[in-house]
Amino acid sequence: MKLIMSVILVMTPFLSFSQMLIQGRVMDEQNKAIPFAKIKIMGENEGATANENGEFSINVEEEDTLKITMSGYMDKLIPVRGRSDWNIALTSSINELDEVVVTALGLKRNKRDLGYAVQTLDGKEVTQVRHPNLINSLAGRVAGVQTTNGSSGVGSSSRIVIRGETSLSGNNQPLFVVDGVPVSNEFVANNTENLETGFHEVDYGNGMGNFSSDDIKSISVLKGPSAAALYGSRAAGGVIVIETKEGRATEGVGVSVNSSVTMEQIAFLPEFQNVYGQGSGGVFAYEDGLGGGTGDGGLVSFGPQMNGQLITQYDGPSYDQAGNPVRGGDVIARQGNPITPTPWVANPDNVRGFFETGVTSQHNIAFAGANDDGSFRLSYTRMDHEGTIPNTDYRRNNLSFTGTYDLSNRLSVRAFGTFINSNSDHRPGLGYGSENVMYSFLWMGRQVNLDAAENYWQEGQQGFQQFNYNTQWLDNPFFNVYENRNGFNKNRLLGNAVLSYKITEDLKLRFRSGVDTYNDLRTSRRAFSTQRFPNGAYREDDVSFTEINTDVLLSYDKEISDKWNFNAAVGANNFTQQTRYKSLTAGQLSVPGIYNFENSKVALEASQFNAQRQINSIYGLSGVNFDRFIFLDVTLRNDWSTTLPVENNSFAYYSVNAAIVFSEKIDLPEWFNYGKLRLSSSSVGADTDPFQLRNTYQFNQNYGSYPLLTNSSTLLNQNLRPERINGLETGLEMYFFDEQLGLDVTVYQNTAKDQIISLPTSSASGYSSQIVNGGVIQSRGIEIMLTGDVVRTENFTWKAFANFSKGASFVQELPEGIDQYTTGFARLYTTAENTIFYIANAQEGGRVGDMYGTGFQKTEDGRIIYGDNGLPLRDNELRYLGNYNPDFILGVGNSFEYKGVELNFLLDWRHGGVVVSRTRAVGSTSGVLAETLEGREDGIVGDGVVNVGTEENPIYEENTTVVSAAEYYNQFYNRANEESSTYDASYLKIRQVGISYTFPDKLTKKMGVQEFKIGFIARNLFTWTENPHFDPELSAMQGTSQVFGVEDLSYPSTRSFGMNVQFNF
Amino acid sequence: MIRIITTLIIVTALFSCQKFDEANINQNAPEDVNPQFLLSNVLAEGADNQAYWGWHAGNLLSQHSANLEFLPVDRYNLGSNEGLWTETYRLMKDLQDVKVSEDGNDAYDAVADILTAHQASLITDLWTNVPYTEALQAEEGNFTPVFDAQEDIYTSIGGILDLLENAVITLQNTQESVQGDLMYQGDLNKWIMFANSLRVRYLVRISDKVNVSTELQQIVDDGNIFQSVADEAVVPYLSASPNQWVIFNEREGRYVDVRMSKTAEDILTPLNDPRMQHYYKPTANSAGGSEVYLGIPNGLSRESQNNYDLNDVSLMGSYLRDEPDAVKAAFMTYAELQFCLAEAAQKGLISGSVTNYYEAGIQGSFDHLGLTIPTGYLTQANVILDGTNDLERIMTQKWIASFMNGYEAWFDFRRTGFPDLPMPQDNLNNDIFPVRYAYPSSEQAVNGSNYSDAVNAIGGDDYNSPGWWEN
């Protein structure tokens, strides 16, 4: 702090100082010279560069402060104070060895001391190419981390899984901790049921998507259960520890600005055919879009070839009773008057043209300052996003404050608070059905001129009847996005306060409390004539959430001798969480356009769910360190959770971690700079969700004045035990060649037992699932991180990193009496024929993420069996489709720096896994996809055989029956036939490219600016993958949960280009 | 300062320890309920299933209607209808809970048994062998129930017929009453009539396999069966949401996708039957002029449909689209009972006049719909029973009356082959009339070995393995 004060003093213009020449040498910790370090006088534009021997000289004033910078080392500030001869030792930072990382309970530890794997990103890395959702910043940058995005663009949910899926119940999300206090990353979906009627799923985003990257100082990823052993049950999937920025004393007035604007364009679209238009059997004529013409109620594109011939169309000219011109689709006004046929031509860009260029702007301004006693930082971030889907948007305002103050030399306080408002007028509907515009496109005739649909009310029917190319099944896409909105407004307050008291120099007491509370009001409007709501509808979903964490910690840290260091701490934590969910629906409205419950034509439908949980904990930890050679840590924790039965509600955790820095004691070759062996063993417990113990009846909608109640579909369990995950981990961390090359290899094994899962059962048993403890799932994997300073010269540096991870989770044991484990399913509406089952099979090395579905009847040598009618035969037998998890993930990053110009790029390669595509199934059935062009004129003879024998004694002959393309594709890509719509999900992405320029001080000084940086960024630049239709990285949403391995008419993912401006003054 | 911190800790600890034991009590829904609410639920949901599935599948399989696009049942791609499977077992679970409820009584038990018998017959007639004796035992730890043979489900102790017979005896002797009876408002006499009428239905159904004559005659002699449409087991839809008929507030496509069938046109037109005007709308091209009613053959591919101008194909009747409360969801109608008796009499299983039963059935059907029989209808050459095609005529009139009544007309067709339905041209079932749904694939996934046994027992999990009573 004194240093900072002196820096401030330096700037005081009233004082004058005398000039002097100083000489010096820049060295590393081993007293070896560091060549080409930069020496700069703070507040001045002058500086010098050390020579190859690390020596430098520079003219200064005696009260100047020098800043020594060198890539790979931490910056160092030196107040000159008249001294002329300097040996300056820099601490290396490239290998992060001496980096201080934040570990369990917010304890700061030297990374060197840790016996388990931690990977840390500093805030700079996160803000370099700011992702709107914080979670995406981690993609490709951290080994063992896999992210998946929701498909509705900025503001949708991003899921992160660390070290694969250990839990069968499907959550597997890590715990997020801000300044030592857990915060919510909940994904609370509206209560929708994935039905053919009612509201579609909408992704309102996950909790961490609310955070502003500009407020983040660092993100540490604690991967294994041992790292999590002190955080309790919710940390079973790992922990992501976030530190918020604090105020610092700076040379300038302490204001920083960071602004970026990016443009998003759709990066993927299904590959459409543009030869045949709507209709069947080569004929089509529009009359009313309801079957009144020829095939105009139908949806498929097996109609006439588009050669410019004249055919009546929905946008063709007609006239009303008064003779005024109207469009063909103005069916009500037209009253049967004829439509003038218009040229039947392809509109190859009708879908592409619907999408717009999205714009995302993010602006942050932060004020910071500090003095001897304290610091503050006040920061405001605003994000505005307009999506590629018209009328979709997302806005966010973050106002944050961090303050620290030393009340006395024993007592200090730190507080952080942030208020976040996020809102949107419209989030697009997801899932299968008419509220997803992709559904309207995959069932849209290829001749449709979509521009004509922009004026989406029928003539004279404003508010009552939409205008569309198909009136029977589809909503006009423009009508859909402009009238049928899913808005939300979420206010969130998140904060924590820490009070630290130094009882003695070695003994400290810390009291900390954090709160995370939000209210999210979601409004869904549906206009009259919506397919799913002919009389319109209005719905509100109100989500309230509050989580409070309070803890105390008494810690002791003592240097016993030169070589021995001992520390210990004991603490206690109380955690409470409250969720309130309420939904009201007016299923029909009286007056169009008025979205208010008073306008309801029918009784309101209500749904409500309130829950709370509480966990009390005590814990202790102790560490011993001998001579910076051996580090040993032991932790213990016990939890009492309200969600478990009283007799089983107490469960313990432990972890033992050891780090051996063998390079300290073993004589290694000179190029071998550092070596550490890590060993860790842990056992953590986990509770469950509230209300999993005793069954209740469910309310059904009344019949007249008769109330109805019925059984729930899940049998709960009063004898649940806590889950248990045992982790083993070992790692080797090494640095070579002047620490220019770093290698970190970790292997791990996590064994999860007694998992609390909802196990599907035969619904004939009275329940279609039961809550049980069961199964043993073992995850094993390897993570390799490679970091390197490839080139390090005076003007040019090239840094590179690679993160590789490979892992899988296997089913080792199943609950008694069960040979395979159906952990869940993804289906189309509620129809069982269109179901993908997630089945874990213990016998045959089943993995978590294995998917099963139905497919074709096949001969023993794998040929498809056709019926006499020339169409492939399906059967109902479930067969293995593939696993949705990748075999391995590789992230590679490079950054180059040359005289203030910095270029970085990040590649992400995900190899293996499959995805079942509904876009493929629907688009092939409907004949809009390019691959359905084959066989249009001459028909198709399916490749396979026909059984000319009996069922018992089959005799197979080559299939020779010709069928029409429409019939063939309709049956081959039947939505129930998952096998034919399965793609390899592997991809290679150029995830981001950034180029930035930091203006020389000479220029910026004149503007009164301390630092001025401008950058250009591109995200999601290219993707190489097998399928031509969609981005395999996106997840789908069905009912109230996200599902994996299924592409459910996903929206096109986007690539974005933008600009970033950052300055401090 | 230490004091302040200590105080803070103590306050927090006290605050947080409150209510620890109560936090996990679910306040959102009750653990125990009076059986009346469960009974109401089964009646409302069970009746809705009859009408809902009548529209979406039953009418198509019996060819009362034909589908253009999105109901694959019409091309004999039946699938497994897991939704109905699951829901039926849940309703049976509700009924089980009615019986075990401490607030119940033997009247509740009997009513629950009657409804259980109905649900059980539905499920076995749709899937053949199904879990029954070991069903609904999850709470006792049996999650993998064996599948019972259809014959046993109908005829064994505790089976459908046994439940119904005992329910009648119980209700005849009880002094107790039931609440929540939204169908009969607690009138137990009507429940006795319903139970006996169901017995008639199921006895006739198995009459090719079992000699049911004595039992049928006894029921008829006792006379505790539906006496008129006032007694029939129907639950009407209501004018207010959420009890409106589903198609009333559905998208246009769901309505116009279902059309009058060619079969219906061929059967109803020669009869000059006014029920045609009720069940269907005049074709678009004839509306307002000389109205005609035309159907489209079942199971046409999209291309085959090009041979038809949909403006010359009738939509379904106005009461099925434009009114929320005109549909009466039926468990069983008076008309159906009379046709069962007519069939039984015609086959000599019971005494009595075939014609009387037959005409009462036709009258009952018109009464059910609120229509008047035209003078001379019953004496038309193609209506009157003249001893030549009597069974076919009975079954044809029953078929007309069974419009929208679940899958009943399909069950009758499977059993008797009447009316003589044409094979849908573009069917995907190798020109075979299907006789069942496939088992839900979830049974394969979670009840594998019992599923395999059942598949072997019925001769394959396809649409063509006939059940016991039709074999």
Side-chain angles (χ1 to χ4, degrees), chain A residues 734-1040:
Chain A
M734 291 167 296
Y735 287 90
F736 313 108
F737 309 113
D738 289 340
E739 300 181 0
Q740 289 206 130
L741 178 67
L743 175 67
D744 188 332
V745 181
T746 307
V747 292
Y748 64 87
Q749 171 184 299
N750 295 330
T751 310
K753 292 177 183 166
D754 277 349
Q755 292 204 35
I756 298 173
I757 56 165
S758 174
L759 179 70
T761 57
S762 162
S763 45
S765 72
Y767 294 93
S768 34
S769 59
Q770 59 164 327
I771 303 291
V772 292
N773 281 105
V776 177
I777 306 297
Q778 195 167 74
S779 317
R780 288 188 296 267
I782 181 164
E783 289 155 7
I784 301 170
M785 288 164 273
L786 205 57
T787 52
D789 267 14
V790 185
V791 178
R792 192 201 284 173
T793 68
E794 181 177 4
N795 285 322
F796 180 67
T797 60
W798 173 12
K799 293 188 209 175
F801 68 83
N803 291 311
F804 172 87
S805 53
K806 180 175 168 58
S809 303
F810 297 91
V811 185
Q812 303 258 303
E813 251 179 69
L814 291 176
E816 233 181 82
I818 293 164
D819 48 3
Q820 60 178 21
Y821 216 43
T822 301
T823 60
F825 41 73
R827 56 178 43 158
L828 187 73
Y829 302 151
T830 49
T831 45
E833 295 83 71
N834 303 306
T835 303
I836 292 148
F837 290 87
Y838 302 116
I839 295 179
N841 193 321
Q843 271 83 47
E844 289 145 37
R847 282 171 62 193
V848 178
D850 282 349
M851 299 190 291
Y852 287 74
T854 52
F856 299 110
Q857 289 184 24
K858 282 187 184 157
T859 63
E860 275 170 20
D861 48 355
R863 307 219 40 206
I864 296 174
I865 303 173
Y866 283 72
D868 298 338
N869 55 8
L871 295 173
L873 295 171
R874 285 175 47 226
D875 67 21
N876 283 315
E877 199 181 322
L878 296 176
R879 79 268 327 267
Y880 180 64
L881 301 171
N883 189 294
Y884 64 74
N885 288 305
D887 298 333
F888 67 80
I889 302 175
L890 178 65
V892 176
N894 278 284
S895 72
F896 307 90
E897 201 181 340
Y898 178 73
K899 289 192 171 172
V901 179
E902 197 185 326
L903 170 72
N904 67 71
F905 66 90
L906 183 60
L907 296 176
D908 198 3
W909 178 19
R910 176 193 142 128
H911 182 81
V914 300
V915 59
V916 180
S917 168
R918 295 255 160 78
T919 292
R920 164 86 169 234
V922 173
S924 299
T925 306
S926 70
V928 298
L929 294 184
E931 58 252 42
T932 64
L933 280 179
E934 200 196 321
R936 293 261 181 162
E937 297 297 331
D938 306 325
I940 293 175
V941 179
D943 177 26
V945 295
V946 186
N947 181 7
V948 295
T950 61
E951 210 168 307
E952 291 75 31
N953 296 305
I955 303 164
Y956 296 115
E957 284 178 5
E958 201 67 23
N959 172 43
T960 54
T961 311
V962 183
V963 291
S964 74
E967 280 290 286
Y968 178 79
Y969 292 121
N970 185 41
Q971 180 73 356
F972 196 89
Y973 291 106
N974 189 306
R975 283 168 293 177
N977 193 354
E978 291 83 16
E979 187 185 15
S980 57
S981 300
T982 304
Y983 283 116
D984 186 339
S986 302
Y987 62 77
L988 172 65
K989 281 191 179 199
I990 300 184
R991 203 168 269 289
Q992 65 184 49
V993 176
I995 183 160
S996 67
Y997 180 61
T998 309
F999 286 84
D1001 291 357
K1002 228 178 257 176
L1003 269 169
T1004 56
K1005 180 83 179 171
K1006 285 178 196 153
M1007 299 155 64
V1009 171
Q1010 297 298 323
E1011 195 188 355
F1012 183 36
K1013 190 174 170 183
I1014 184 160
F1016 297 90
I1017 51 186
R1019 278 197 303 264
N1020 209 10
L1021 208 50
F1022 287 107
T1023 305
W1024 290 273
T1025 186
E1026 180 196 71
N1027 89 78
H1029 302 307
F1030 61 90
D1031 184 343
E1033 195 192 359
L1034 304 174
S1035 68
M1037 197 176 155
Q1038 279 180 17
T1040 54

Side-chain angles (χ1 to χ4, degrees), chain B residues 317-391:
Chain B
S318 172
Y319 86 107
L320 292 160
R321 173 61 176 172
D322 306 323
E323 295 176 62
D325 56 348
V327 175
K328 288 185 270 188
F331 289 104
M332 188 173 180
T333 62
Y334 169 73
E336 188 197 338
L337 171 72
Q338 295 303 317
F339 288 119
C340 287
L341 295 173
E343 182 190 341
Q346 197 274 336
K347 289 179 172 169
L349 298 171
I350 56 170
S351 59
S353 159
V354 182
T355 300
N356 284 354
Y357 289 129
Y358 174 68
E359 291 184 351
I362 297 171
Q363 181 67 52
S365 172
F366 277 85
D367 291 349
H368 176 83
L369 300 167
L371 303 176
T372 312
I373 293 195
T375 323
Y377 181 89
L378 295 172
T379 52
Q380 293 181 96
N382 46 14
V383 174
I384 197 162
L385 299 184
D386 56 11
T388 49
N389 300 317
D390 286 4
L391 183 61

Side-chain angles (χ1 to χ4, degrees), chain A residues 213-275:
Chain A
S213 333
D214 288 291
D215 291 337
I216 288 167
K217 187 166 99 187
S218 72
I219 302 177
S220 301
V221 181
L222 316 187
K223 294 173 188 170
S226 62
L230 276 176
Y231 273 112
S233 61
R234 292 188 299 162
V239 187
I240 294 182
V241 179
I242 293 168
E243 287 286 286
T244 59
K245 283 178 181 163
E246 287 177 7
R248 287 181 301 149
T250 58
E251 303 164 34
V253 289
V255 179
S256 68
V257 174
N258 188 4
S259 269
S260 62
V261 177
T262 56
M263 308 288 207
E264 285 104 30
Q265 288 178 325
I266 53 170
F268 257 105
L269 257 194
E271 197 183 329
F272 294 113
Q273 59 91 3
N274 288 297
V275 182

Side-chain angles (χ1 to χ4, degrees), chain B residues 174-224:
Chain B
T174 187
Q175 303 301 315
E176 308 278 359
S177 63
V178 297
Q179 305 290 314
D181 175 9
L182 51 86
M183 185 163 74
Y184 288 139
Q185 287 73 44
D187 184 342
L188 296 182
N189 281 327
K190 292 204 169 171
W191 278 101
I192 293 170
M193 291 182 196
F194 178 31
N196 279 325
S197 302
L198 282 176
R199 289 173 71 197
V200 171
R201 175 198 272 182
Y202 299 132
L203 287 169
V204 169
R205 186 164 295 170
I206 66 170
S207 60
D208 284 350
K209 296 287 157 192
V210 182
N211 185 350
V212 298
S213 173
T214 318
E215 202 174 345
L216 265 180
Q217 187 66 55
Q218 185 66 49
I219 296 167
V220 174
D221 291 347
D222 290 347
N224 272 324

Side-chain angles (χ1 to χ4, degrees), chain A residues 196-197 280-281 283 290-294 297-300 411 434 439 443 471-473 499 501 503 509 511 531-532 534-535 550 552 574 587-588 602-603 605 608-610 612 614-616 640-644 649 690-697 699-704 706-711 715 760-768 770 820 822 827 830 832-833 837 839 867-869 871 874 876-878 925 951 964 966-967 970-971 974-975, chain B residues 1-2 5 8-9 12 16-20 22-33 36-38 40-41 44-45 52 68-70 75 77-83 85-86 89-91 93-94 97 131 134-139 142-145 180-182 185 235-238 241-244 248-254 256-257 259 301-303 306 309-311 321 426-428 430 438 440-447 451 461-463:
Chain A
E196 200 188 315
T197 54
S280 297
V283 294
L290 269 174
T294 306
L299 300 168
V300 297
L411 184 67
S434 58
Y439 177 88
W443 290 114
T471 319
Q472 188 158 338
W473 303 107
L499 213 56
Y501 187 72
I503 299 166
L509 182 66
F511 178 83
Q531 294 291 0
R532 288 175 169 230
N535 288 298
T550 305
V552 288
N574 167 256
Q588 297 171 36
V602 294
E605 289 170 43
Q608 191 170 9
F609 181 78
N610 299 332
Q612 61 281 323
Q614 191 176 332
I615 299 174
N616 292 332
W640 289 264
S641 165
T642 56
T643 64
L644 290 166
N649 73 357
F691 313 148
Q692 299 301 303
L693 308 183
R694 294 173 65 86
N695 267 80
T696 56
Y697 290 95
F699 291 99
N700 228 333
Q701 299 286 322
N702 286 5
Y703 176 86
Y706 290 94
L708 313 181
L709 280 115
T710 189
N711 271 281
L715 180 65
T761 57
S762 162
S763 45
S765 72
Y767 294 93
S768 34
Q770 59 164 327
Q820 60 178 21
T822 301
R827 56 178 43 158
T830 49
E833 295 83 71
F837 290 87
I839 295 179
D868 298 338
N869 55 8
L871 295 173
R874 285 175 47 226
N876 283 315
E877 199 181 322
L878 296 176
T925 306
E951 210 168 307
S964 74
E967 280 290 286
N970 185 41
Q971 180 73 356
N974 189 306
R975 283 168 293 177
Chain B
M1 188 46 68
I2 288 190
I5 295 172
L8 273 173
I9 294 168
T12 314
S16 61
C17 287
Q18 258 176 3
K19 295 186 191 166
F20 189 87
E22 291 160 32
N24 208 34
I25 296 171
N26 188 342
Q27 307 280 358
N28 299 294
E31 287 184 13
D32 292 301
V33 293
Q36 61 174 304
F37 303 121
L38 299 171
S40 300
N41 185 66
E45 275 198 74
Y52 181 93
L68 302 180
E69 181 102 26
F70 271 126
R75 291 186 69 186
N77 229 338
L78 266 66
S80 64
N81 203 348
E82 179 166 3
W85 168 281
T86 302
Y89 278 109
R90 178 168 50 77
L91 294 181
K93 177 71 174 75
D94 286 350
D97 288 4
E134 285 191 9
L136 313 179
Q137 293 181 348
E139 280 157 20
N142 184 357
F143 294 96
T144 51
D181 175 9
L182 51 86
Q185 287 73 44
V235 177
Y237 286 93
L238 305 178
S241 172
N243 308 120
Q244 296 170 333
F248 171 71
N249 199 38
E250 257 285 7
R251 70 184 63 195
E252 194 67 13
R254 277 285 165 234
V256 302
D257 196 32
R259 300 281 172 143
S301 71
R302 294 184 184 103
E303 283 163 85
N306 286 335
D309 179 346
L310 293 179
N311 295 307
R321 173 61 176 172
D426 299 325
N427 73 78
L428 298 169
N430 267 334
S441 39
S442 61
E443 289 295 322
Q444 253 184 85
V446 300
N447 193 14
Y451 164 83
D461 187 14
D462 52 36
Y463 309 137

Side-chain angles (χ1 to χ4, degrees), chain A residues 294-314:
Chain A
T294 306
D296 68 337
L299 300 168
V300 297
S301 282
F302 290 97
Q305 208 165 349
M306 297 180 282
N307 295 323
Q309 68 274 42
L310 299 178
I311 291 178
T312 56
Q313 301 189 47
Y314 89 117

